[in-house]
Amino acid sequence: MINIIGFYQTRFGELWEKSLTSLLKEAIFGVLKEANLEINQINAIFFGNMMAGVLENNLHTASKIAEIIQRNIPIFRVEAACASGGAAFHLATKYLNDNCQKTVLVLGAEKMTDYSPEEVTSALAAASSGEEQEAGLTFPGLYALMANFYLQKYHYNEENLAYVSYKNHYHGSLNEKAHFQNKLTIEKIVQSPYVAYPLKVLDSSPISDGAAALIITNDKNLVKKSKASVLVLASEVATDTINLFQRKSLDEILSTKIAAELAFKKAGIERKQINVAEVHDCFSIAEILAMEDLGFWKKGEGGRKIKELSTLLNQSSLTVNPSGGLKAAGHPVGATGIKQIGEIFLQLTKKAEKRQVKNAKYGLAHNVGGSGGTAVVTILAS
Amino acid sequence: MINIIGFYQTRFGELWEKSLTSLLKEAIFGVLKEANLEINQINAIFFGNMMAGVLENNLHTASKIAEIIQRNIPIFRVEAACASGGAAFHLATKYLNDNCQKTVLVLGAEKMTDYSPEEVTSALAAASSGEEQEAGLTFPGLYALMANFYLQKYHYNEENLAYVSYKNHYHGSLNEKAHFQNKLTIEKIVQSPYVAYPLKVLDSSPISDGAAALIITNDKNLVKKSKASVLVLASEVATDTINLFQRKSLDEILSTKIAAELAFKKAGIERKQINVAEVHDCFSIAEILAMEDLGFWKKGEGGRKIKELSTLLNQSSLTVNPSGGLKAAGHPVGATGIKQIGEIFLQLTKKAEKRQVKNAKYGLAHNVGGSGGTAVVTILAS
């Protein structure tokens, strides 16, 4: 039985005064304080980070973290593009299952805003294939291909997509750690400039700095003594081709479908029991596909469903992306998967303040790498 | 009980005709053939790679591998600089311990020779700290600091170091997969040009391309049916500060000492029982420090011991780096840790041909990241 007993995140945003190291320090010592633990109670650290190598020529972050904490414990850097945080969490749970009465710190961080948009766009493109990069396909372009296919196949238009950003910015306005805390109108979203047709600036998650950390344990005494704890029912990973052109279909993310099937089977609960979910909305189309591929909505009905705004805070039995999602809360890549699970932790322990989902008992986090080459689905229970 | 049931490595060297993808394909399908398995018998893949992000802007290799194998299984990229392979192996064993009757493919690869020496030297420097990079300290420089300190403290000279390369090139001459298969004389090594005083070209491991793969399983039936199997007694990881100037001493690698202590304790055997070891000789001084820090030699006596050549093939009860080590067999960074364990597998299953260590029952592999920020020690038994 693995429990989460602490969560901390830095503010997400353009944190020009903070380096990757200072973000790591804040998250590590922040989560230890939250969980009321000392560093010597941590047996291992798993760290999700995508771009420190490409952007600032810093690899081998395990030893960077060893230096920060002044300990010689096992530390691992895991990289799965934008799913780096989720993959780090997954491997941390595997690590715990092999070790009785141990406690692991799971960390995610990314420093993105010290670089030019061209540099960051190129670094993000490292999550796609060499062929896609050579063809000039950046991530907005890849998701735009999926959006075009989806809108045409199911007869929706760009306004349908806009409701994702509308909802998530509303949620972001209730989250003091969010990159963007402003509400948006559907009109403003639809009228924002195109990035890659049909996706616009306001369909897209931002380039953010930030870090997040969780503490997970299978030590029953620590769970008993903790201020708050949440049970990890399932954490599952699936992969798919890196190239979009190798996929059978452009209107589904197969890795999400497979990981979700495995996770619900492992957790032993049904979709309708989930009260709160954080899903990977790197672009508006991504949340719609995710809701379908996770099995919450039928394939093709997402464009209609999102317009009903049933997944807005406390409008139904399922709230989606109460943190503001990647769109409004921000997307410091390696930190995102950790923040998603952390948001579910806050919701299930009734600490989500202004954005608290009522009667939240079961929660799900969904983290995607690249255009769907990796997906991680985590199910938690209060 | 985890067993290794297959090993494959590509030729290591300057493989200009091969891309990272083609190296991965060769290693994946090569090891499946060696173990007489189909890809659908593999439940997960762990991949060690350091530099594909920095050198060729390719991250998210999990989905690259998913595309190669046309499967949607969990795949993880692990990065710990030059210990990426060892760390991937370690996490794969943790993964197996959480899952009964499963089989994992552990993979390591690096493509380094398509780039200029300046580009590769800069990419390798990503394993050191930002401060060290700003000071102009490349890896030869970092190990040269350790070598200077060691030679002065214990009253040795450059000739003592040369015996490491002499021995490992002799071993490399017996290994058809080795980058260098030529023998060297002590005179030639000592007269080779300096890279960073007191280290010379022939004290240094080369820049290599290559891939290596292992199959490990806890499925008893697969072990029974396998042509050859080797038991994993222990795999332990420790870390240390990324900055050399933060260490208490320059004549020891603390992470190696800690990982070795843990590994021997876990394995329940003594140092003297080890018949064959692959240790991380990125530079000649590194093998001497490793032999001391692993506990085979006392601190300070390594300079004398190496000159006795007792660790040359079958000269005593312990042979070290029969593959040729990093120095002669080559150092395609992410592949190195896998190749080391694979060499021990070959030795313990009596398949090492011309370089077979006699009566090899217990073996050890030792993989280091950076200047010692990470160390992985693995102990195997026939």
Side-chain angles (χ1 to χ4, degrees):
Chain A
M1 302 279 273
I2 294 175
N3 276 269
I4 303 174
I5 59 167
F7 170 60
Y8 180 87
Q9 78 163 98
T10 68
R11 172 79 199 262
F12 282 5
E14 298 192 348
L15 311 176
W16 292 331
E17 75 286 11
K18 291 190 178 168
S19 65
L20 183 61
T21 303
S22 64
L23 289 168
L24 289 172
K25 280 183 187 168
E26 183 183 338
I28 291 169
F29 296 108
V31 78
L32 288 171
K33 197 177 167 195
E34 276 297 318
N36 199 25
L37 293 178
E38 303 289 331
I39 188 66
N40 62 13
Q41 293 176 275
I42 301 298
N43 302 106
I45 295 178
F46 283 74
F47 175 43
N49 172 266
M50 178 183 174
M51 287 182 286
V54 175
L55 285 176
E56 54 188 72
N57 209 46
N58 279 321
L59 294 167
H60 202 200
T61 37
S63 62
K64 184 74 164 174
I65 293 167
E67 189 164 300
I68 291 171
I69 62 172
Q70 292 286 306
R71 311 280 302 167
N72 302 93
I73 57 174
I75 306 175
F76 304 96
R77 178 208 167 198
V78 181
E79 182 268 315
C82 303
S84 296
F89 180 84
H90 176 82
L91 287 178
T93 65
K94 295 288 172 186
Y95 192 88
L96 270 188
N97 283 339
D98 182 42
N99 294 276
C100 289
Q101 293 195 303
K102 297 282 180 184
T103 302
V104 174
L105 196 157
V106 196
L107 191 60
E110 210 80 45
K111 177 68 196 175
M112 302 171 77
T113 69
D114 284 351
Y115 307 91
S116 71
E118 291 77 13
E119 287 171 315
V120 176
T121 302
S122 167
L124 284 165
S128 64
S129 74
E131 296 94 318
E132 287 170 337
Q133 290 183 55
E134 280 172 27
L137 268 168
T138 59
F139 268 92
L142 286 163
Y143 276 91
L145 288 170
M146 291 190 255
N148 270 313
F149 187 86
Y150 184 88
L151 295 185
Q152 289 184 33
K153 182 168 178 183
Y154 300 108
H155 310 294
Y156 297 118
N157 58 44
E158 297 166 35
E159 196 195 66
N160 297 80
L161 300 178
Y163 281 83
V164 173
S165 301
Y166 172 83
K167 170 178 69 69
N168 291 349
H169 267 260
Y170 172 75
H171 292 159
S173 75
L174 306 173
N175 180 1
E176 288 174 0
K177 298 285 181 75
H179 188 150
F180 298 128
Q181 298 172 28
N182 61 317
K183 294 176 201 168
L184 292 176
T185 62
I186 293 294
E187 193 180 22
K188 189 166 180 187
I189 297 163
V190 171
Q191 288 175 356
S192 69
Y194 284 110
V195 177
Y197 178 85
L199 299 177
K200 308 173 197 72
V201 170
L202 294 178
D203 286 295
S204 313
S205 58
I207 288 164
S208 316
D209 305 321
L214 291 161
I215 288 177
I216 66 175
T217 187
N218 56 10
D219 183 334
K220 284 178 193 169
N221 287 327
L222 275 192
V223 177
K224 266 187 208 163
K225 281 193 278 183
S226 67
K227 284 187 290 180
S229 70
V230 154
L231 191 61
V232 181
L233 293 184
S235 166
E236 296 291 338
V237 174
T239 56
D240 200 1
T241 65
I242 190 163
N243 281 295
L244 214 54
F245 77 84
Q246 295 272 13
R247 312 257 174 96
K248 282 180 194 137
S249 174
L250 281 185
D251 66 340
E252 68 170 24
I253 302 279
L254 184 59
S255 55
T256 294
K257 287 180 81 166
I258 294 172
E261 280 302 326
L262 292 169
F264 276 101
K265 194 175 163 191
K266 182 81 174 281
I269 65 167
E270 293 177 49
R271 266 73 168 177
K272 65 183 180 194
Q273 291 179 267
I274 299 287
N275 314 111
V276 54
E278 288 275 310
V279 309
H280 198 91
D281 60 321
C282 48
F283 298 94
S284 53
I285 182 65
E287 178 165 326
I288 292 172
L289 294 179
M291 290 299 288
E292 296 178 354
D293 296 330
L294 289 166
F296 292 120
W297 295 341
K298 285 184 191 147
K299 183 52 65 189
E301 72 175 20
R304 177 172 58 77
K305 282 280 196 182
I306 191 71
K307 259 184 105 162
E308 293 170 4
L309 287 173
S310 69
T311 55
L312 190 77
L313 187 64
N314 290 321
Q315 295 303 300
S316 73
S317 61
L318 173 60
T319 298
V320 174
N321 281 331
S323 74
L326 283 60
K327 174 65 198 85
H331 184 28
V333 173
T336 286
I338 308 296
K339 181 224 74 177
Q340 292 176 318
I341 295 169
E343 174 69 18
I344 302 299
F345 172 82
L346 294 179
Q347 293 288 350
L348 298 188
T349 55
K350 312 293 183 269
K351 290 181 170 179
E353 302 181 350
K354 285 187 280 183
R355 61 186 191 281
Q356 180 64 49
V357 174
K358 286 176 194 156
N359 306 316
K361 179 161 172 51
Y362 293 104
L364 177 147
H366 164 249
N367 192 199
V368 171
S371 59
T374 303
V376 188
V377 174
T378 308
I379 298 178
L380 307 174
S382 62
Chain B
M1 302 279 272
I2 294 175
N3 276 269
I4 303 174
I5 59 168
F7 169 61
Y8 180 88
Q9 80 163 95
T10 69
R11 172 80 199 262
F12 283 4
E14 297 192 350
L15 312 176
W16 292 330
E17 74 286 9
K18 292 193 178 166
S19 65
L20 183 61
T21 304
S22 64
L23 289 168
L24 289 173
K25 280 183 188 168
E26 183 183 337
I28 291 169
F29 295 108
V31 79
L32 287 170
K33 195 175 168 196
E34 277 297 320
N36 200 24
L37 294 179
E38 304 289 331
I39 188 66
N40 62 12
Q41 293 177 274
I42 301 298
N43 301 105
I45 295 178
F46 283 75
F47 175 45
N49 172 266
M50 178 183 173
M51 286 182 286
V54 175
L55 285 176
E56 53 189 73
N57 210 46
N58 280 321
L59 295 168
H60 202 200
T61 36
S63 62
K64 184 75 167 171
I65 293 167
E67 189 164 301
I68 292 172
I69 62 171
Q70 293 285 306
R71 311 281 302 167
N72 302 94
I73 58 174
I75 306 174
F76 304 96
R77 178 206 167 200
V78 181
E79 181 268 315
C82 304
S84 296
F89 180 84
H90 176 81
L91 288 178
T93 64
K94 294 289 172 185
Y95 192 88
L96 271 189
N97 282 339
D98 181 42
N99 295 276
C100 289
Q101 291 195 304
K102 299 281 180 185
T103 303
V104 174
L105 196 158
V106 196
L107 191 61
E110 209 81 45
K111 179 67 197 174
M112 301 171 78
T113 68
D114 284 351
Y115 307 91
S116 71
E118 290 76 12
E119 287 170 316
V120 176
T121 302
S122 168
L124 283 165
S128 64
S129 74
E131 295 94 319
E132 287 169 338
Q133 291 184 54
E134 280 173 26
L137 268 167
T138 58
F139 268 92
L142 286 163
Y143 276 90
L145 287 171
M146 290 190 256
N148 270 314
F149 188 86
Y150 183 89
L151 295 184
Q152 288 183 33
K153 182 168 177 183
Y154 300 107
H155 310 292
Y156 296 119
N157 58 47
E158 297 165 36
E159 195 195 66
N160 297 81
L161 300 178
Y163 281 83
V164 173
S165 301
Y166 172 83
K167 170 178 69 69
N168 292 348
H169 267 259
Y170 172 75
H171 292 159
S173 75
L174 306 173
N175 180 1
E176 288 174 359
K177 298 284 181 76
H179 188 149
F180 297 128
Q181 299 174 27
N182 62 317
K183 296 177 200 168
L184 293 176
T185 62
I186 293 293
E187 192 180 22
K188 188 167 180 186
I189 297 163
V190 171
Q191 289 176 356
S192 69
Y194 284 110
V195 178
Y197 180 85
L199 299 177
K200 308 173 198 70
V201 169
L202 294 178
D203 286 296
S204 313
S205 58
I207 288 165
S208 315
D209 305 321
L214 292 161
I215 288 177
I216 65 174
T217 187
N218 55 12
D219 182 333
K220 283 178 193 168
N221 287 326
L222 275 192
V223 176
K224 266 186 207 163
K225 280 193 280 183
S226 67
K227 285 186 291 183
S229 69
V230 154
L231 191 61
V232 181
L233 293 183
S235 166
E236 297 291 338
V237 174
T239 56
D240 201 1
T241 65
I242 190 163
N243 280 294
L244 214 54
F245 77 83
Q246 294 273 13
R247 312 255 175 96
K248 283 182 193 133
S249 174
L250 281 184
D251 65 340
E252 68 170 24
I253 304 278
L254 184 58
S255 56
T256 295
K257 287 181 81 167
I258 295 171
E261 280 301 327
L262 292 168
F264 276 101
K265 194 176 164 191
K266 183 83 173 280
I269 66 166
E270 293 177 49
R271 265 73 170 175
K272 65 183 178 193
Q273 290 178 267
I274 299 287
N275 315 111
V276 54
E278 287 275 310
V279 310
H280 199 92
D281 60 321
C282 47
F283 298 93
S284 53
I285 182 65
E287 178 165 325
I288 292 172
L289 294 180
M291 291 298 289
E292 296 178 354
D293 296 331
L294 289 166
F296 292 120
W297 295 341
K298 287 186 190 145
K299 183 53 65 189
E301 74 176 18
R304 177 173 58 76
K305 282 278 196 183
I306 191 70
K307 260 185 105 162
E308 294 170 4
L309 286 173
S310 69
T311 55
L312 191 75
L313 186 64
N314 290 321
Q315 294 304 301
S316 73
S317 60
L318 173 60
T319 298
V320 174
N321 282 330
S323 74
L326 283 60
K327 174 66 198 82
H331 184 28
V333 174
T336 286
I338 309 296
K339 182 223 74 178
Q340 293 177 317
I341 295 169
E343 174 70 16
I344 302 298
F345 172 83
L346 294 179
Q347 294 287 351
L348 298 188
T349 56
K350 313 291 182 274
K351 290 180 170 180
E353 302 180 349
K354 284 185 280 182
R355 62 187 191 280
Q356 181 64 51
V357 173
K358 287 177 195 156
N359 305 316
K361 180 160 172 49
Y362 293 104
L364 177 147
H366 164 250
N367 191 199
V368 171
S371 59
T374 303
V376 187
V377 174
T378 308
I379 298 177
L380 307 174
S382 62

